[in-house]
Amino acid sequence: MAAALRALLRSAAPRRALLLPPPLRPLPGARPRSSGSPFQFLVVQKTGSRQSVGLIQLNRPQALNALCAGLMDELRRALDELESDPQVGAIVLTGSQKAFAAGADIKEMQDKTFQECYSSSFLTGWDRVATARKPIIAAVNGYALGGGCELAMMCDIIYAGEKAQFGQPEILLGTIPGAGGTQRLTRAVGKSLAMEMVLTGDRISAAEAKEAGLVSKVFPVEKLLDAAIACAEKIANNSKLVTAMAKESVNTAFETTLTEGTRTEKRLFYATFATGDRKEGMTAFVEKRKANFTDS
C-alpha cells in the first residue's frame, strides 16, 4: 500500500486494525461465477433463493481494496458477465468489513503526467459501474474513501455498516476527485457538505451519511451483506425490463431538469404498456394473485 494512503488512514485506527479478514466465503446456496479466466482481485458469485443476485466482492486485502487498473478491468468484465446473465436481476457490490475501498491506487498514479492522463482518458472506464442497466447495491463496510466513495456513489443504492466512513480526501494528496466525486457527492448531500468534505478531506460516518442522504440504510456490520442481498433479491423478483426503465427514469431525475425528467418518465411509463409484464402485473392485481413476470 502506498505511503500516502497509509498516512491518510493512520489516524483512523491502530495499525493492527488495517489487517483484513480472509476473502468472502461462498454464501449458503451461492454458486461461483464461471469465467474465461479467474479473477485476481474479485470474488464473483450468484446468490439468493433463485440465484438471481450477482455478488461481487472487491478482494485486494493487502491494499485495503485500493482500486488499481487490474481490479477495475476485472470489475468491468464481471459486470458485463452479470448483465448478460438472464437469471441475474440485481447486483451487490461489496468489500470487506474493514474497507469497501480505501481509494484509488496511489502507486499507479504517482508518476503519471498530464499528457498521459489526458491522452488515455484516465479513469473514464470507471463509468461502467454507473452505466450498468441492472440495479447495483453498494454494501459498504469500513473505509469508502476517494475512489472508493466515488465507486459507491456510482451504484444505485448504498447500504452502509454502522462503522463505515465516507470521504473524498484527494485534496490532501494535492489533487481533486476525478471519477465523479465532486459531482455525485454534491447532488447527493448538497453544496455545503460536499464542499466541506472536498476542501478539507474530512470523512463522515455512516450515520452522518444517512442523515445527509448519501446512504439509504445503516445496519450492524455483520448484518449488512445479508440486508443488501435481500434488497437485491426483492428487486430481482420484479420485471427486469420494467426495472431497467424505472432505473433510467430515476437517474434522469438525478442528472437533468424537472422538465426533462417528467418527459422521460412519461415516455417510459407509456412504454411499459407495450410489455407483457405490465399486463401480467395489472391482471395479477385484479385477480388478487402474485404476478409472474417473464420479460427480461
Side-chain angles (χ1 to χ4, degrees), residues 114-196:
F114 164 77
Q115 290 85 348
E116 288 174 324
C117 292
Y118 189 83
S119 62
S120 67
S121 297
F122 183 48
L123 301 185
T124 299
W126 287 31
D127 291 341
R128 178 64 184 89
V129 179
T131 59
R133 300 195 70 183
K134 293 180 180 180
I136 303 179
I137 301 172
V140 178
N141 268 320
Y143 302 117
L145 306 178
C149 187
E150 290 172 311
L151 184 64
M153 291 190 292
M154 291 179 198
C155 299
D156 302 299
I157 299 170
I158 302 178
Y159 277 9
E162 57 193 359
K163 296 182 180 179
Q165 297 182 38
F166 298 84
Q168 297 291 162
E170 288 86 350
I171 196 77
L172 304 178
L173 300 178
T175 187
I176 69 171
T182 62
Q183 305 303 300
R184 292 188 176 92
L185 185 63
T186 304
R187 285 165 169 78
V189 306
K191 177 184 175 181
S192 183
L193 180 55
M195 194 72 80
E196 180 182 16

Side-chain angles (χ1 to χ4, degrees), residues 238-256:
N238 296 322
S239 165
K240 295 179 178 62
L241 179 59
V242 177
T243 293
M245 292 180 179
K247 172 174 173 173
E248 180 183 347
S249 189
V250 173
N251 278 336
T252 302
F254 191 67
E255 298 167 1
T256 66

Side-chain angles (χ1 to χ4, degrees), residues 47-53 86-91 135 137 229-243 277 280-281 290-295:
T47 189
S49 61
R50 300 168 63 183
Q51 298 291 293
S52 61
V53 176
Q87 190 176 17
V88 173
I91 298 166
I137 301 172
I229 292 171
C231 179
E233 192 166 18
K234 183 181 295 185
I235 292 170
N237 286 337
N238 296 322
S239 165
K240 295 179 178 62
L241 179 59
V242 177
T243 293
D277 280 349
E280 165 62 14
K290 184 177 179 180
N292 180 28
F293 296 121
T294 57
D295 289 341

Side-chain angles (χ1 to χ4, degrees), residues 277-292:
D277 280 349
R278 192 282 314 168
K279 183 175 182 180
E280 165 62 14
M282 291 189 176
T283 300
F285 178 83
V286 171
E287 296 177 353
K288 299 182 179 180
R289 59 175 174 83
K290 184 177 179 180
N292 180 28

Side-chain angles (χ1 to χ4, degrees), residues 10-149:
R10 191 176 294 121
S11 61
R15 179 140 183 99
R16 63 179 179 276
L18 298 183
L19 299 176
L20 297 190
L24 185 70
R25 295 180 181 274
L27 296 170
R31 298 176 186 171
R33 180 71 179 161
S34 61
S35 60
S37 60
F39 293 109
Q40 180 181 356
F41 302 116
L42 304 177
V43 177
V44 182
Q45 58 194 50
K46 293 199 296 186
T47 189
S49 61
R50 300 168 63 183
Q51 298 291 293
S52 61
V53 176
L55 177 59
I56 302 174
Q57 184 208 16
L58 308 181
N59 185 34
R60 198 181 174 214
Q62 297 86 352
L64 290 173
N65 292 333
L67 305 174
C68 62
L71 186 153
M72 296 308 294
D73 286 342
E74 289 186 1
L75 181 56
R76 286 192 291 274
R77 179 155 57 89
L79 287 172
D80 287 344
E81 290 186 6
L82 292 174
E83 286 234 271
S84 65
D85 188 332
Q87 190 176 17
V88 173
I91 298 166
V92 172
L93 178 62
T94 193
S96 70
Q97 290 190 3
K98 293 293 184 182
F100 176 73
D105 192 308
I106 306 303
K107 279 187 177 180
E108 284 191 346
M109 293 193 293
Q110 183 178 4
D111 296 324
K112 283 188 178 293
T113 65
F114 164 77
Q115 290 85 348
E116 288 174 324
C117 292
Y118 189 83
S119 62
S120 67
S121 297
F122 183 48
L123 301 185
T124 299
W126 287 31
D127 291 341
R128 178 64 184 89
V129 179
T131 59
R133 300 195 70 183
K134 293 180 180 180
I136 303 179
I137 301 172
V140 178
N141 268 320
Y143 302 117
L145 306 178
C149 187

